[in-house]
Amino acid sequence: MNKSKWSLKFLMVACLMYLGQGCSATSNETNPVATKFKHPMLLVIDDPRTERKKFGAAAGPGYVANIDYAEDPVLKRATNQLVKEYKLQAAEQWPLKSLGVHCIVIESPSSEVLTRLANDKRVKWVQPFNEFGTQFSQQSAVPDITVISPSITLPNNGHGVDIIVIDTGADTSHPAFNNSSMRYQNFVIGNGNGKNEVHGTAISGLLAANDTSNEIPVKGLTSGADLQHYRGCWQRSDGKGRCTTLTLALALDAAVETNPNILNLSLSGPKDKVLEALIDKLISQGTIIVSAHDAKRAPSDRFPQPQPGVIYAYGTSNEKPTNIPRDTFLASSTAVSLSPQGAYDVFSGHSIATPQLTAITASLLSSDPTISKNTIANRLKEWLTYMEIN
């Protein structure tokens, strides 16, 4: 365990000292969709079906949208009209129940066609079909360590708080999940079940591992929370996590219906209009979004976009970085967590800092379910100020 000023141990102890004056403590390398197109784009139209049909059955795990659409004459007619009229090449298509829209992956047409589509009243918008990635590295296997866990327990272990993690898959058969109530859903179409993927296993492991045996070296920071793991990304052969507009949209759409208290996104990528619409929907319902800091992207070109209700985790080790944005908070850049096939590894990066911030937010919500987003942000900022002074 790193014993530097900004280590996980120090961060958690400082958190408790401030918060609690009453506190105790491998898959496919390529995209699983749209690989047939060199320059895929996303065409978004209003779902033309009746309200009952539009908001009835939602896309779910293993859902292959174009099969259902082939059986729906209203959607088939609307799609075929646009494809034929504009001579489009179309691939996958799917509904977003929470937005009442219909999404179609197309090959990028000419600029003239794009202009015409933008002026077509049937079309909501046309946007890039984007890729996203996790920010994370796996350092080394953990050698014969009896117990590695936070030195303290966050108050209530997140009891009564609903958390959704959207990430790569997770090894739900890991022994440290044996006593966990974590639920798992897969929204990556045609790319296995993802249960041997590293990144998601580590992220949810840091939150939900729940085995009191002395042989288990990781105890989840929010083992009392109701945690759901949505596979909205997949693991490439180089170990990095990748997601697309499609996979994240399906997972976020399901998250809107579930309406969690906290959504953990240990990932980043370019600004994406349809994903931001789903994030807006979640925030309007009261969900707090905790995402990984992305130093490579300007705030105006980042997913998720900065706004009230979104906070970012910045992983650091020895020294406090300068010029931290007001919506960004520090956590340890290194932590021990679960790895597939019953293993434990050391991980680092902004991604692994994100579930730590999620855990502290869950602790605040567990202690006071009525606490506002602004108050949570203020408490996190005051906690950071406390650490600077001390």
Side-chain angles (χ1 to χ4, degrees):
M1 180 74 69
N2 185 350
K3 295 183 180 178
S4 64
K5 179 179 179 181
W6 299 101
S7 68
L8 173 60
K9 179 178 179 180
F10 182 88
L11 289 179
M12 291 303 177
V13 170
C15 165
L16 286 182
M17 290 175 69
Y18 174 72
L19 293 180
Q21 311 290 333
C23 292
S24 54
T26 142
S27 304
N28 196 331
E29 177 75 18
T30 58
N31 292 358
V33 68
T35 52
K36 63 184 289 186
F37 295 151
K38 284 188 176 181
H39 306 288
M41 298 193 75
L42 192 66
L43 175 64
V44 182
I45 66 173
D46 278 315
D47 188 331
R49 295 176 296 174
T50 64
E51 293 300 298
R52 182 182 65 82
K53 289 253 188 176
K54 186 188 303 185
F55 298 105
Y63 174 77
V64 181
N66 52 345
I67 293 176
D68 284 355
Y69 281 129
E71 300 171 356
D72 192 308
V74 176
L75 287 169
K76 184 177 180 179
R77 183 166 58 251
T79 300
N80 288 346
Q81 283 176 348
L82 285 166
V83 168
K84 184 177 180 180
E85 182 176 339
Y86 291 100
K87 298 180 181 179
L88 302 173
Q89 298 180 60
E92 277 71 10
Q93 50 186 288
W94 69 94
L96 293 177
K97 174 182 173 183
S98 61
L99 299 180
V101 299
H102 174 37
C103 302
I104 311 163
V105 179
I106 61 172
E107 176 64 287
S108 180
S110 67
S111 57
E112 183 268 333
V113 170
L114 283 174
T115 300
R116 288 170 56 204
L117 283 169
N119 293 322
D120 191 316
K121 292 182 179 179
R122 295 167 294 178
V123 176
K124 299 278 285 184
W125 67 80
V126 183
Q127 66 166 75
F129 187 83
N130 291 311
E131 287 194 20
F132 307 82
T134 57
Q135 301 190 54
F136 175 97
S137 67
Q138 185 176 0
Q139 293 186 327
S140 61
V142 180
D144 299 329
I145 298 175
T146 304
V147 176
I148 299 178
S149 64
S151 58
I152 44 76
T153 301
L154 290 170
N156 305 320
N157 288 332
H159 179 74
V161 177
D162 297 322
I163 301 172
I164 289 179
V165 170
I166 298 180
D167 214 288
T168 67
D171 179 9
T172 56
S173 63
H174 195 292
F177 285 136
N178 284 349
N179 295 324
S180 170
S181 60
M182 182 179 75
R183 287 164 285 165
Y184 184 88
Q185 294 193 56
N186 180 18
F187 294 93
V188 179
I189 297 169
N191 201 19
N193 62 18
K195 293 194 175 182
N196 198 38
E197 294 179 339
V198 175
H199 191 273
T201 303
I203 298 304
S204 280
L206 200 60
L207 292 169
N210 190 21
D211 196 316
T212 56
S213 167
N214 288 333
E215 296 178 358
I216 302 297
V218 175
K219 175 72 173 177
L221 296 170
T222 58
S223 56
D226 183 5
L227 188 138
Q228 296 188 58
H229 187 106
Y230 287 0
R231 186 192 183 215
C233 310
W234 70 97
Q235 182 174 305
R236 303 192 319 185
S237 61
D238 62 4
K240 294 181 179 179
R242 285 293 177 266
C243 338
T244 66
T245 300
L246 164 59
T247 59
L248 289 179
L250 289 176
L252 286 168
D253 193 41
V256 171
E257 185 170 7
T258 303
N259 193 20
N261 299 113
I262 305 171
L263 174 65
N264 187 104
L265 295 172
S266 293
L267 54 89
S268 183
K271 183 179 179 180
D272 188 291
K273 189 169 183 177
V274 73
L275 299 187
E276 288 301 334
L278 290 163
I279 290 292
D280 290 347
K281 195 83 172 179
L282 282 161
I283 290 173
S284 71
Q285 295 177 172
T287 299
I288 297 169
I289 314 298
V290 185
S291 187
H293 173 75
D294 187 347
K296 297 180 180 179
R297 293 188 181 277
S300 60
D301 182 35
R302 175 195 302 170
F303 170 76
Q305 284 275 283
Q307 62 171 303
V310 178
I311 57 178
Y312 302 94
Y314 189 114
T316 187
S317 54
N318 294 319
E319 295 181 2
K320 175 181 176 293
T322 58
N323 300 321
I324 294 294
R326 294 181 61 186
D327 55 7
T328 302
F329 306 93
L330 301 184
S332 176
S333 63
T334 303
V336 176
S337 191
L338 313 187
S339 195
Q341 301 182 5
Y344 302 89
D345 284 321
V346 180
F347 303 94
S348 65
H350 298 311
S351 277
I352 204 67
T354 307
Q356 298 172 47
L357 199 59
T358 290
I360 297 166
T361 304
S363 176
L364 285 164
L365 283 169
S366 182
S367 299
D368 180 6
T370 65
I371 192 171
S372 69
K373 295 174 186 176
N374 286 338
T375 302
I376 288 173
N378 289 337
R379 296 295 294 274
L380 289 168
K381 187 63 70 177
E382 288 167 2
W383 162 49
L384 177 57
T385 303
Y386 173 90
M387 294 171 61
E388 291 173 353
I389 293 172
N390 291 273

